[in-house]
Amino acid sequence: MGKAWNDATALLTDNFGLIATILALYYFLPSFAIALLFPEISNAAPPEIPAGADPETTLAIMSGFFEEQYARSWPFLLVVSLAQYVGTVSVLALFPDRGSATVGDALKSGLRGALPFLATQLIFVIGASVAVGLIGGLSIAISPFLGIPVIMLMMVGVAYVAVKLTLVPAVIGMQGELNPIKAMKKSWRLTKGNSILIFIFLLVLFITMGLIALVVSMLVTTAFAVIGGTVAQIGGGFFESLVNAVTGGVILVVVAAIYRQLASPGGTGDLEVFD
């Protein structure tokens, strides 16, 4: 894990300009555009919960709020998501298995690989939803007391599969594999024997970045709240978009570093644990 982190920081330092350019195009700008053009979506205030409301009423109110938000924002979320899929593959395509790549090469790879990457995500989400829904629903129908632990175990299984598929975008971007099933199989094979360490590594990374973002966000939000008005709206959207781009960049170079270590000819991608 130490080697993976050192490699990730080296990749980020040596290629900062190229990575920043792609992240600005496909992570920062689409998100910031939504924040500026459609503030009612990005800054929607949560509904007020009546005093003394029971859990079912609270759940119904919140569910209605999220359904309404999704109905209003799904076209914009789709555009942002597709842009980020292109950006994800493009950043990883900067570090191909062999040779080197320019920004133009990376962007072409991103455009080619975005749909295969999306296909892998749909396969995972649909498969997980069907499995959890069928098995969880059947267990609840048999016994509510049985259903809760079964669903919890199913969620652990979904998390495990998600870790096994962590390297899918790297396989698509760095290796150039455009077959979604083959990309998923390759990621599954590369992570063999390393799944728990990868999970711990990414969990620590997410927690660390989340805490840093939370502290900085509190300071920035407080400052903008004092200013108020349009400046606060623009500043808030700018900051959230920037955090999204920075977080995405760090995660991508970490994924690239893990892939390079496990997929290298002298690596340990089949059976052993990466150091």
Side-chain angles (χ1 to χ4, degrees):
M1 288 189 290
K3 185 178 186 302
W5 176 250
N6 291 336
D7 289 347
T9 54
L11 288 174
L12 185 59
T13 302
D14 297 340
N15 303 275
F16 181 79
L18 300 179
I19 295 173
T21 299
I22 295 175
L23 291 176
L25 285 173
Y26 292 105
Y27 273 71
F28 175 80
L29 288 179
S31 180
F32 190 40
I34 296 297
L36 289 181
L37 299 177
F38 306 98
E40 68 279 3
I41 293 176
S42 57
N43 299 315
E48 294 185 5
I49 306 299
D54 57 74
E56 292 184 1
T57 301
T58 302
L59 180 61
I61 293 175
M62 294 305 298
S63 298
F65 170 73
F66 287 119
E67 289 175 2
E68 180 183 355
Q69 285 299 110
Y70 180 76
R72 295 169 56 190
S73 62
W74 73 263
F76 311 107
L77 293 176
L78 178 61
V79 171
V80 172
S81 297
L82 289 176
Q84 291 187 354
Y85 280 129
V86 176
T88 295
V89 178
S90 297
V91 169
L92 292 169
L94 290 171
F95 318 111
D97 280 349
R98 296 177 180 83
S100 59
T102 63
V103 171
D105 296 332
L107 293 180
K108 291 178 183 177
S109 296
L111 292 172
R112 289 195 301 266
L115 289 181
F117 183 29
L118 174 61
T120 64
Q121 302 302 293
L122 291 176
I123 292 171
F124 169 68
V125 171
I126 294 174
S129 300
V130 171
V132 173
L134 289 177
I135 299 177
L138 181 61
S139 61
I140 290 176
I142 296 174
S143 171
F145 296 102
L146 175 65
I148 294 177
V150 168
I151 291 178
M152 292 179 65
L153 287 175
M154 291 292 296
M155 296 309 295
V156 172
V158 170
Y160 173 77
V161 174
V163 172
K164 298 294 292 181
L165 300 179
T166 299
L167 300 183
V168 163
V171 174
I172 294 174
M174 300 172 69
Q175 182 180 317
E177 178 58 69
L178 299 181
N179 185 310
I181 301 301
K182 290 183 178 180
M184 296 171 78
K185 288 181 178 180
K186 181 66 178 290
S187 177
W188 194 282
R189 183 179 66 81
L190 287 175
T191 54
K192 184 177 181 180
N194 300 288
S195 302
I196 294 178
L197 282 179
I198 292 174
F199 171 76
I200 294 173
F201 187 24
L202 294 179
L203 179 63
V204 172
L205 181 64
F206 279 121
I207 292 175
T208 302
M209 291 193 300
L211 291 175
I212 294 174
L214 178 62
V215 173
V216 177
S217 177
M218 291 175 61
L219 297 175
V220 173
T221 302
T222 301
F224 284 135
V226 173
I227 299 174
T230 305
V231 175
Q233 176 184 317
I234 295 175
F238 180 89
F239 176 74
E240 290 181 6
S241 303
L242 182 62
V243 169
N244 181 45
V246 171
T247 302
V250 173
I251 293 173
L252 289 177
V253 293
V254 166
V255 169
I258 294 175
Y259 173 83
R260 288 176 62 161
Q261 187 175 160
L262 296 182
S264 63
T268 56
D270 289 329
L271 296 175
E272 301 175 13
V273 175
F274 69 99
D275 52 8

